[in-house]
């Protein structure tokens, strides 16, 4: 049965995307969107890139006022969800700050994730994480007077911030506990090529060493590494991953996936509670590619999951799962990856060389291309991505 009403907890990309897909599927019932931030839905990827530069701020709005009016939802912004309960399979209650309640026949949890903090260090001015617009505003101000920046974590956020700060003229050091950053995503050979970009643009990369702590009186002055090295710093960015925002849930039947901490769902975002769905950074959805539940924090994951969740709610045909896709802009280069790789796949460079500014490499399994990575070659990347899409659709159409 299609529910009469929907409450969406989370007012960023995932929540907005579900609202859009519900209306596109013909759902006309009331929808309430609850968001902890006071801002209307905005785009997060530019926060580590264009937004941090001096000059005019980029437009981050994911929807203009006209579209939001057309979507016809009730928006409760600046409102934090504090609990979820179910009176029956079609009667759920979201509790919010101040003791108020929002009831609906279906609830979508899209509360995202928050940046992990560096454990064991006291609060010092000049130490930043980057997850929200307010975080980016604070970091942008800090970078204006920053001569020496230390970035802790060489993942996508850390690498993008390092790239942006270096372009602003800061002296940048990136510290990474792993021996080779991004190897889990791309494999050693491609990850080494990505890591080399730091040095090629004057950024020091320290790998295989952890952070012992931060020092300073009121403001950070140094980052102390586990090997005793002391790195002077006017500002520090901690980019060591994210933690799903699920602590507010007190529903006895909501199951969290170990070890990701995301809400366990099927491939369509259904939780173990009928009428309650989850998607985006806070969810660990079953992934046919991984053969298990998997939490993904990439932009396209939120939009593709929204299609499946909306279809499940509205009772329409669920679209085939999309090919996983991610991108990153670093040091003037566009990095793109699509597909799903495993450690046993064979890497083959099909254009250029791993040491070139532009190259394309594919990952093959049983002589089939299952993933593709490209640096500054959108044309060839798109060709291989479409090839992977076709193979996935053909496989999905085979009888079980």
């Amino acid at each position: 049965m299609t529910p009469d009403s929907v409450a969406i907890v989370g007012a960023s990309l995932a929540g907005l995307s579900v609202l859009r897909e519900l209306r596109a599927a013909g759902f006309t019932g009331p929808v309430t969107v609850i968001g902890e931030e006071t801002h209307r839905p905005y785009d997060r990827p530019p926060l580590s890139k264009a937004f941090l530069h001096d000059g005019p701020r980029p437009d981050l709005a994911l929807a203009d006022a006209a579209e939001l009016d057309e979507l016809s939802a009730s928006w409760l912004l600046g409102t934090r969800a504090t609990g979820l309960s179910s009176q029956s399979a079609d009667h759920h209650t979201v509790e919010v700050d101040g003791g108020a309640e929002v009831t609906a026949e279906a609830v979508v949890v899209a509360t995202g994730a928050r940046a992990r903090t560096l454990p064991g260090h006291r609060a010092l001015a000049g130490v930043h994480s980057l997850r929200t617009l307010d975080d980016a505003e604070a970091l942008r101000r800090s970078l204006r007077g920053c001569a020496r920046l230390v970035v802790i974590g060489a993942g996508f956020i850390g690498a993008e911030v390092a790239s942006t700060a270096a372009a602003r003229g800061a002296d940048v050091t990136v510290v990474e506990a792993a021996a080779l950053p991004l190897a889990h995503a791309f494999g050693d050979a491609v990850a080494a090529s990505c890591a080399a970009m730091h040095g090629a643009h004057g950024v020091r990369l320290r790998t295989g060493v952890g952070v012992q702590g931060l020092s300073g009186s009121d403001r950070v002055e140094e980052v102390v590494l586990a090997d005793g090295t002391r790195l002077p710093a006017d500002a520090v960015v901690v980019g060591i991953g994210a933690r799903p925002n699920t602590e507010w849930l007190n529903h006895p039947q909501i199951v969290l996936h170990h070890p990701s901490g995301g809400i366990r769902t099927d491939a369509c975002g259904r939780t173990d509670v009928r009428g309650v769905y989850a998607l985006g950074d806070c969810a660990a959805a079953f992934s046919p590619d991984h053969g298990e539940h998997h939490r993904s924090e990439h932009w396209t994951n939120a939009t593709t999951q929204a299609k499946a969740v909306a279809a499940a709610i509205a009772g329409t045909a669920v679209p085939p799962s999309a090919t996983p896709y991610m991108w990153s802009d670093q040091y003037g280069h566009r990095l793109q990856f699509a597909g799903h790789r495993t450690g046993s796949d064979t890497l083959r460079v099909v254009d250029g060389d791993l040491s070139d500014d532009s190259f394309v490499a594919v990952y093959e399994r049983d002589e089939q291309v299952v993933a593709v990575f490209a640096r500054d070659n959108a044309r060839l990347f798109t060709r291989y991505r479409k090839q992977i899409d076709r193979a996935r659709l053909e496989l999905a159409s085979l009888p079980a």
Side-chain angles (χ1 to χ4, degrees):
M1 295 288 292
T2 302
D4 289 337
S5 57
V6 176
I8 300 173
V9 188
S12 194
L13 174 67
L16 174 64
S17 297
V18 170
L19 174 58
R20 283 171 167 160
E21 296 296 339
L22 280 172
R23 295 310 190 202
F27 181 78
T28 58
V31 178
T32 302
V33 184
I34 304 164
E36 184 172 2
E37 293 186 65
T38 57
H39 311 290
R40 289 191 172 190
Y42 61 88
D43 204 17
R44 295 184 190 272
L47 296 181
S48 57
K49 299 182 278 290
F51 187 86
L52 296 180
H53 285 288
D54 276 331
R57 290 170 171 77
D59 182 10
L60 302 179
L62 287 170
D64 59 23
E67 182 187 4
L68 293 177
D69 287 343
E70 187 176 342
L71 290 171
S72 185
S74 298
W75 293 83
L76 301 180
L77 299 179
T79 303
R80 186 171 64 92
T82 58
L84 173 65
S85 59
S86 299
Q87 290 68 47
S88 66
D90 57 1
H91 186 182
H92 307 282
T93 300
V94 180
E95 296 124 32
V96 300
D97 278 335
E101 296 180 344
V102 176
T103 60
E105 292 195 358
V107 172
V108 179
V109 180
T111 44
R114 64 189 182 279
R116 291 182 181 272
T117 58
L118 194 63
H121 79 84
R122 62 191 179 90
L124 292 171
V127 179
H128 301 270
S129 58
L130 183 56
R131 193 73 187 179
T132 68
L133 177 56
D134 293 339
D135 292 339
E137 289 276 13
L139 178 56
R140 178 181 162 117
R141 290 192 298 269
S142 207
L143 288 177
R144 287 182 185 137
C146 177
R148 300 165 301 183
L149 175 72
V150 175
V151 178
I152 302 172
F156 296 111
I157 294 295
E160 290 169 359
V161 170
S163 167
T164 304
R168 291 178 57 117
D171 180 89
V172 182
T173 301
V174 179
V175 179
E176 170 59 49
L180 184 61
L182 300 177
H184 67 287
F186 303 140
D188 288 354
V190 172
S193 175
C194 294
M197 291 193 300
H198 292 293
H201 292 83
V203 172
R204 289 177 295 278
L205 176 63
R206 291 289 309 271
T207 60
V209 61
V211 173
Q212 179 176 308
L214 309 177
S215 68
S217 51
D218 296 319
R219 185 175 184 87
V220 67
E221 297 173 5
E222 289 182 323
V223 176
V224 184
L225 304 187
D227 63 3
T229 302
R230 307 181 79 90
L231 303 175
D234 301 307
V236 171
V237 176
V238 180
I240 55 175
R243 190 185 303 277
N245 290 321
T246 57
E247 290 82 0
W248 65 277
L249 286 168
N250 53 9
H251 199 297
Q253 294 171 280
I254 295 290
V255 178
L256 300 184
H257 173 257
H258 180 77
S260 75
I263 301 166
R264 190 180 71 186
T265 78
D266 68 6
C268 293
R270 301 182 185 93
T271 71
D272 291 307
V273 179
R274 181 179 165 187
V276 178
Y277 306 78
L279 79 159
D281 294 358
C282 69
F286 181 79
S287 165
D289 293 299
H290 293 82
E292 60 184 4
H293 290 84
H294 176 70
R295 192 173 75 85
S296 172
E297 297 175 15
H298 297 294
W299 194 95
T300 51
N301 181 63
T303 57
T304 55
Q305 283 186 341
K307 296 179 185 294
V309 169
I313 293 173
T316 58
V318 176
S321 62
T323 302
Y325 169 69
M326 66 182 82
W327 80 93
S328 180
D329 294 327
Q330 302 174 24
Y331 302 107
H333 298 287
R334 168 60 62 94
L335 314 182
Q336 294 175 284
F337 179 88
H340 175 251
R341 61 164 290 276
T342 66
S344 60
D345 295 338
T346 300
L347 180 72
R348 180 165 62 93
V349 179
V350 295
D351 187 77
D353 183 85
L354 294 178
S355 62
D356 293 343
D357 284 343
S358 173
F359 70 87
V360 178
V362 296
Y363 303 80
E364 295 176 322
R365 189 181 313 148
D366 299 326
E367 300 183 350
Q368 297 292 320
V369 175
V370 294
V372 56
F373 177 94
R375 182 159 70 204
D376 292 341
N377 192 331
R379 178 188 58 81
L380 191 55
F381 173 84
T382 300
R383 183 191 304 175
Y384 277 104
R385 184 183 179 186
K386 289 180 178 178
Q387 177 182 328
I388 296 168
D389 286 340
R390 288 194 297 269
R392 288 168 57 87
L393 287 173
E394 290 172 3
L395 183 62
S397 66
L398 294 176

